[in-house]
Amino acid sequence: PSKSSDRILYEETQWQSRWFWDFETYLPLMRFCQLNKVRLLALNVKAETTAKVREYGLPALSKEERADLILDARGFITDSLATTFPEYVQAVLRPSF
C-alpha cells in the first residue's frame, strides 16, 4: 500500500460522502487486508436511503426500498417487538443518524 493507493481508495469509494467515519481509523485494517489478500465487503445502506429516512421517517420508503432493506419481514417484526430492541436502537442504530 502507498499514499497514492490510499488516496485512490478514498476517492473511488466516495468515502467522504458515503461513509462519514474517519478514513484514517479504517486505513490500517484496509491495508492489512490488501497485503494479506483478504477480501472486504462493504455493508451499508445507500446514503440516499439513509437521508430519506432521516428526513421523512421509515414510512417515506417505497415497498421496493423496504424490501431491499428488510429481507425477512416476519423476523424483523419479531426482533423489533423484543424487550431489548429499544436498547439496541439506542446503542447501535441511533448514533448513525
Side-chain angles (χ1 to χ4, degrees):
S2 67
K3 294 277 184 193
S4 175
S5 65
D6 294 347
R7 175 60 42 199
I8 291 168
L9 177 64
Y10 181 84
E11 292 170 0
E12 292 293 317
T13 59
Q14 300 175 336
W15 192 276
Q16 180 66 33
S17 62
R18 297 220 169 259
W19 297 101
F20 305 105
W21 294 282
D22 180 43
F23 182 74
E24 296 295 323
T25 300
Y26 287 86
L27 197 50
L29 173 64
M30 291 185 284
R31 284 180 177 157
F32 173 86
C33 292
Q34 183 182 17
L35 289 170
N36 293 282
K37 299 187 183 338
V38 175
R39 293 180 68 185
L40 290 174
L41 176 64
L43 299 175
N44 205 356
V45 174
K46 294 178 192 173
E48 296 83 359
T49 303
T50 303
K52 188 175 190 178
V53 171
R54 183 183 301 120
E55 183 79 18
Y56 306 106
L58 288 173
L61 297 178
S62 69
K63 185 176 183 177
E64 294 77 20
E65 288 170 319
R66 285 193 306 276
D68 285 344
L69 299 174
I70 303 170
L71 302 178
D72 176 11
R74 287 185 183 177
F76 181 79
I77 291 168
T78 299
D79 288 347
S80 66
L81 294 174
T83 57
T84 55
F85 189 71
E87 182 180 330
Y88 166 76
V89 170
Q90 289 298 331
V92 178
L93 300 179
R94 181 135 344 247
S96 294
F97 291 93

